[in-house]
Amino acid sequence: MLAVTTGHGNLKSHGTKAAFLSYQKDAPKLFDLESQYDLTIGYWSGSSHNSALTVARVVRWSPASPSYYFAGTLGIGVVDRTTDHLGTTGQFTVRFAVGRRFGKYDLSIGESHYSNGKYALGLGWHGPNTGEDFLSVMLAREL
């Protein structure tokens, strides 16, 4: 699947615009849920502008109908530079979304977060770590 995601920054990333291009490939089930591998490149604007490259694992849960789903993504990546929001170039990425499939197309809305895990994981990195947050819409097509 090839996906284009666009959105606006929120929380500490307010005022930024973001765009991401992703390739997702089916993966073995994870926690007995549908799963994909994800490779994403992205960019966001604003005073903390940056570019990112991430690899991640997506899981999807369809509670009532196979057309509707909830998705969770967890991955690791790198950004081009440190900023007032990201104190290291190594990052974790998380996305939670709700979506619907339309034949070969997929549409979802979700919240993405980039962070080095300084506080959540207690890793003790130096520098800031408020992270970057984006509310986004993703449109994908099966290949």
Side-chain angles (χ1 to χ4, degrees):
M1 182 171 6
L2 190 60
V4 174
T5 306
T6 185
H8 292 277
N10 57 16
L11 303 174
K12 299 287 185 179
S13 305
H14 185 72
T16 63
K17 293 182 180 5
F20 303 92
L21 180 63
S22 303
Y23 174 71
Q24 294 183 347
K25 181 176 173 47
D26 287 339
K29 284 189 172 188
L30 187 64
F31 308 115
D32 205 30
L33 296 172
E34 178 186 334
S35 177
Q36 293 87 29
Y37 298 116
D38 178 285
L39 176 66
T40 297
I41 57 171
Y43 173 81
W44 53 90
S45 64
S47 61
S48 294
H49 65 90
N50 226 323
S51 297
L53 174 65
T54 62
V55 292
R57 189 78 179 261
V58 182
V59 292
R60 290 186 180 193
W61 175 57
S62 300
S65 161
S67 295
Y68 295 92
Y69 64 86
F70 295 98
T73 305
L74 179 62
I76 58 171
V78 294
V79 293
D80 280 345
R81 65 192 195 97
T82 60
T83 66
D84 290 342
H85 296 170
L86 302 173
T88 61
T89 56
Q91 297 293 309
F92 295 99
T93 182
V94 177
R95 184 173 193 258
F96 295 103
V98 59
R100 185 173 194 286
R101 293 186 182 109
F102 300 91
K104 291 187 176 233
Y105 291 91
D106 189 303
L107 181 66
S108 69
I109 184 167
E111 176 73 11
S112 299
H113 177 74
Y114 283 79
S115 168
N116 66 14
K118 177 179 180 178
Y119 301 117
L121 301 175
L123 296 176
W125 306 116
H126 295 290
N129 185 48
T130 54
E132 296 287 354
D133 298 281
F134 309 101
L135 181 62
S136 58
V137 174
M138 181 183 83
L139 178 62
R141 186 178 191 289
E142 290 180 14
L143 300 176

